Each structure stands twice: as C-alpha cells, then as structure tokens.
Amino acid sequence: MSEALQALAGRCQHEQDIKKSRFLALAAPVDSPEEALAFVQEVSDPAATHNCWAYLIGQAYRFNDDGEPGGTAGRPILQAIEGQGIDHAVVVVTRWYGGIKLGAGGLARAYGGTAAECLRLAERVSIVPMATLALSCDFADLALLKARLPELEAILDSESFHAEGADLIVRLPQARVDEALTRITDLTRGRSLVRRAD
C-alpha cells in the first residue's frame, strides 16, 4: 500500500438498519491486543444477538464472528479496517436481529459495510514511521546537539553519562534519518558516533 497508514483520532460509531436488523459499529484506536479485547468486552451488548469484531495492530490481527456463519462478520470487519488504510484499530459491530434472514452475502455486506462507514466518517491522524538512533558525543557537543535535535523532529528518549561524554537514544521520523546522520556529523565535526538502534 503506497498510502500512509492512519489511526483513529478517537472513538467513533455508526448505526444503520438493514432489513429490520439494527447494526451498530463502535471503533477505537488501540495499541495492543489486550487493549483491543478490553474494548470488545466493554462495548459488547449481552442483550444483542451478536457482537462481532476485528482488530488490526501492525502485523497482529484477530476477528470473531460471535455465532454468525463463519466468514460473514469478523473477516468483513477486518477487511473494512484494511480497506480504509487504518492501523491500530478495533471495531465491534453489534447486531440486533429483526426477523429477516440476510444470507451469507447479505451478512458480509452488512457487517463490513457498517464497519467501513463508521471508519470512513471517523476523524483520523497519520501514522508516521519512526526510527531510533543511538549516539555518543563529547560533553562539549552535548548542549548543541540537544538544542538542534528538535529541528529534526527528534525526541530524546534517554540520556546517560560516562567519563568521555554522553550516550543518547533519540526517536525521529524515518524520513529524516539520513538528514539527521549528516547533521549530527556536521555539528560535531565527526566526533560523535551515530548508529541505527532499531
């Protein structure tokens, strides 16, 4: 996928009626499978006919049909997340049965469509791929480096001191790594050791 991935800015929901069944999609940003499952537990309605869900967090994903025929609910929800270019998200689609059977195709369209519309309407934020650099510098260069790191959108994660100077761990956008390597070398006149740490 050439497009940059996005995450949800916050929780969102979308509701629709399809052939007398009510479908409610609830979505949230999550950073771990445990957080996703906690959200599923929190928003699932025990009085509903089905609470189907899916989450996608990087390479980790899971989905559940909650009693609907296999492949008609959880997988279409997961496909909606992927299709919208969203990562680090969980979606629960709750169904209250209205008396009219939808068939396998109808169920897949209802669950996937409700999830996709919920995500389409949601406010999003871009996910910026980050990189980690480890650098060692002399005490003489430390203040200058720390002052200039924000220009590279770099965040100082840790700092430790030794007899010759300091060791820093910084995170910055992947796209700025080459520029950072050059800038650090120039600022310290080649005295700093810099390497990728991720």
Side-chain angles (χ1 to χ4, degrees):
M1 185 181 296
S2 59
E3 262 182 57
L5 286 176
Q6 296 183 314
L8 298 173
R11 291 185 176 199
C12 57
Q13 68 179 55
H14 174 71
E15 186 175 335
Q16 60 187 26
D17 290 327
I18 300 169
K19 293 189 177 176
K20 297 189 179 177
S21 282
R22 190 170 132 229
F23 290 85
L24 171 65
L26 296 158
V30 288
D31 290 319
S32 69
E34 295 77 23
E35 195 179 338
L37 295 174
F39 178 80
V40 170
Q41 190 73 30
E42 175 196 334
V43 303
S44 291
D45 182 349
T49 318
H50 303 282
N51 292 285
C52 305
W53 53 269
Y55 68 73
L56 178 64
I57 304 165
Q59 298 300 312
Y61 67 90
R62 210 168 132 197
F63 55 87
N64 187 300
D65 293 317
D66 191 34
E68 291 283 27
T72 63
R75 184 172 292 283
I77 296 169
L78 178 63
Q79 289 168 335
I81 297 170
E82 293 171 331
Q84 293 283 331
I86 294 176
D87 197 359
H88 289 259
V90 58
V91 179
V92 178
V93 179
T94 300
R95 178 189 185 195
W96 291 268
Y97 183 60
I100 298 174
K101 293 189 182 229
L102 300 178
L107 285 172
R109 284 189 296 279
Y111 280 102
T114 304
E117 187 64 8
C118 178
L119 296 171
R120 190 185 71 74
L121 297 171
E123 187 178 338
R124 304 177 188 196
V125 292
S126 292
I127 295 175
V128 177
M130 300 294 278
T132 304
L133 298 179
L135 62 112
S136 294
C137 67
D138 297 336
F139 284 118
D141 296 321
L142 182 59
L144 177 61
L145 279 174
K146 285 173 71 174
R148 300 297 286 276
L149 286 174
E151 296 171 10
L152 299 164
E153 300 175 69
I155 301 161
L156 180 62
D157 273 353
S158 70
E159 164 179 39
S160 58
F161 301 98
H162 50 79
E164 293 79 39
D167 292 327
L168 309 176
I169 302 292
V170 297
R171 271 184 310 116
L172 71 163
Q174 176 79 40
R176 309 230 29 203
V177 168
D178 291 341
E179 178 187 357
L181 295 173
T182 302
R183 180 90 56 94
I184 291 166
T185 301
D186 290 350
L187 287 172
T188 63
R189 294 182 180 84
R191 291 187 299 268
S192 289
L193 300 173
V194 188
R195 64 178 174 78
R196 288 291 296 261
D198 51 6

